[in-house]
Amino acid sequence: YVCYTGKGKTFREDIATLWKYKGNRDDMLRPLLLDKMKDYVVKRHNGILVKDIEADDAYSIAVIEGYNNWKQGGEKVIGIAEDKDSKQTNGWHFNPNKDDAPRLVEGFGKLVINSKDEVDGSGRMWLAFQTMNGDTSDNYKANCFSDIKWGDKAAYNQLKDTTNDKELFQALVDGYKKLYPENKTVIGWAGKEIEIDWLYVLTECFNLAKMMRTYDEKPTVVKDVLDKLKIEY
């Protein structure tokens, strides 16, 4: 086995202009032995320390690489993670708190309402849901500067009927246009004035939500994706 842990500032802190990425954790007490625990994992448990990206990104990259090799007849790689971001990416995943066996995530995926009346899902639909909704743990929200109340069920209803990538991105566009029908000037977390529109906020939230697929991956230019899919906007 191999495991990942991270240290230092990550690229998401640089691309977050609206709300401070994980800024809601600023007042939390940092565990006193955290750095020593990271050192222990690296020295004793086949740990890899990553910088500039999150351990979750390194996990996703490894699971996707394993999935691609497995599809070509290679050994199956199983990723073990509790984090909900892992449900975005192709590969075999196992959540020790919820799963009885490894589960395969691949392709377009799905969105469902589970037995606890919570939104759940997988694949690209799950990434779109995170983009259309947000993450209170990482401190980004689709409606961060909107006058409209927007939560899990609203995001789910916006996306649930889509059946392919074009429909999915069209639903994202339509959803963000609901939240930001007009351009506006806001004050970002760093105190600077920012001119925003629906595409600005969509692009930022998409890149904060998306797990990296390769180590050299750059932030997604959402406009280019929309143009490639011939989305109306």
Side-chain angles (χ1 to χ4, degrees), residues 115-163:
S115 59
K116 297 181 180 179
D117 197 36
E118 300 169 335
V119 182
D120 199 0
S122 64
R124 294 191 293 278
M125 283 198 82
W126 182 249
L127 168 57
F129 170 75
Q130 290 181 290
T131 302
M132 193 70 255
N133 181 34
D135 189 328
T136 54
S137 175
D138 288 340
N139 203 42
Y140 65 90
K141 283 286 290 182
N143 68 333
C144 57
F145 282 101
S146 173
D147 300 323
I148 299 175
K149 291 183 178 180
W150 195 263
D152 293 12
K153 294 295 177 63
Y156 169 79
N157 288 329
Q158 183 66 31
L159 304 170
K160 64 183 177 66
D161 295 326
T162 61
T163 61

Side-chain angles (χ1 to χ4, degrees), residues 23 27 37 41 69 117-118 129 133 145 176 183 185 188 205 212:
D27 294 333
M37 291 170 63
V41 167
N69 290 334
D117 197 36
E118 300 169 335
F129 170 75
N133 181 34
F145 282 101
Y176 270 84
N183 296 3
T185 301
C205 287
M212 294 180 67

Side-chain angles (χ1 to χ4, degrees), residues 201-221:
V201 187
L202 168 56
T203 300
E204 181 162 313
C205 287
F206 184 85
N207 282 295
L208 292 176
K210 181 173 66 70
M211 291 291 98
M212 294 180 67
R213 273 64 173 168
T214 62
Y215 280 106
D216 60 354
E217 185 175 11
K218 303 299 182 184
T220 300
V221 180

Side-chain angles (χ1 to χ4, degrees), residues 32-131:
L32 296 176
L33 298 180
L34 181 60
D35 288 338
K36 292 188 179 295
M37 291 170 63
K38 290 177 183 289
D39 291 341
Y40 176 81
V41 167
V42 170
K43 292 177 181 177
R44 299 296 180 92
H45 287 286
N46 233 16
I48 296 176
L49 184 67
V50 298
K51 297 182 180 180
D52 299 323
I53 64 173
E54 298 183 35
D56 296 335
D57 291 308
Y59 164 91
S60 291
I61 293 167
V63 170
I64 290 170
E65 182 179 350
Y67 167 81
N68 292 335
N69 290 334
W70 171 75
K71 292 288 282 187
Q72 298 298 319
E75 185 178 27
K76 181 188 291 185
V77 172
I78 299 172
I80 301 175
E82 300 175 10
D83 192 88
K84 59 186 176 296
D85 294 329
S86 65
K87 293 186 287 189
Q88 297 178 11
T89 53
N90 288 347
W92 289 93
H93 299 270
F94 181 78
N95 183 335
N97 292 335
K98 295 183 178 181
D99 295 328
D100 296 322
R103 54 191 159 74
L104 178 61
V105 172
E106 57 184 347
F108 186 71
K110 61 183 179 180
L111 284 182
V112 298
I113 302 294
N114 64 22
S115 59
K116 297 181 180 179
D117 197 36
E118 300 169 335
V119 182
D120 199 0
S122 64
R124 294 191 293 278
M125 283 198 82
W126 182 249
L127 168 57
F129 170 75
Q130 290 181 290
T131 302

